[in-house]
Amino acid sequence: MTDSIRAVVPTGRMAALTQPTYALPGGMLLRPWEGYDAPALVAAYADPDIRHWNRPDPLTEDRAVTRIARWRERWHTEHAAVWAVAATQDTVPVGLIGLADIDLRGGSAEIMYWLLPAGRGCGAAAEGVSAVTRWAFDDLGLHRVRITHSVSNPASCRVATKAGYPLEGTMRGALLHTDGWHDEHLHARLRTD
């Protein structure tokens, strides 16, 4: 008889949860993406900084609507949780914070984030990462959440550090950007931190 390791988070827990909304500094909200947010996603994916550090494919408005619908589907299939950063429920988003690479069985996920220039400098990124982290640990039940970013991107490093993610190390040649291979910092938190 073989001992088996039980899943850290049971299948179905995330799908049963309603995606919450959180207040952030500077009068911002962390809220689910809506189809009407597609123009903001198109603009973000055209932003040179966001394109460089996040490597998104260019989008048309129709493809952006499809991507937003896919994010909602990925919530229900328990593969991703993606929030918009916006001033109100009905205003144009200026950023994105989410969980990707969710592994419920292993109890882990990776935080992703970006902000357009209009959303930068008010503390929304670090506070949004903190809110998503609390949700991942307290509501979803994950054990470990990580952040990776290019060592050449100090702004992302500041967000990770402000959100309480200690630097664990550097992964050499870990991600290909348009200007070549980048070493990446690995930050992580445990539920027990």
Side-chain angles (χ1 to χ4, degrees), residues 44-56 114-117 120 153 177:
Y45 282 22
D47 179 83
D49 287 335
I50 292 172
R51 287 189 56 76
H52 181 73
W53 298 120
N54 296 277
R55 307 174 323 142
W114 52 254
L115 289 175
L116 283 162
R120 296 175 189 154
N153 187 349
H177 288 270

Side-chain angles (χ1 to χ4, degrees), residues 11-85:
T11 300
R13 178 180 287 172
M14 181 173 162
L17 296 171
T18 300
Q19 188 171 8
T21 298
Y22 296 103
L24 300 175
M28 301 298 244
L29 283 179
L30 198 58
R31 63 162 175 83
W33 282 85
E34 301 292 344
Y36 56 77
D37 294 325
L41 194 57
V42 171
Y45 282 22
D47 179 83
D49 287 335
I50 292 172
R51 287 189 56 76
H52 181 73
W53 298 120
N54 296 277
R55 307 174 323 142
D57 294 329
L59 290 179
T60 62
E61 196 164 322
D62 286 342
R63 287 184 63 211
V65 169
T66 300
R67 171 132 330 150
I68 292 166
R70 191 177 83 204
W71 288 338
R72 289 187 170 276
E73 177 185 319
R74 290 178 61 87
W75 176 281
H76 294 292
T77 61
E78 304 182 321
H79 289 100
V82 184
W83 283 263
V85 178

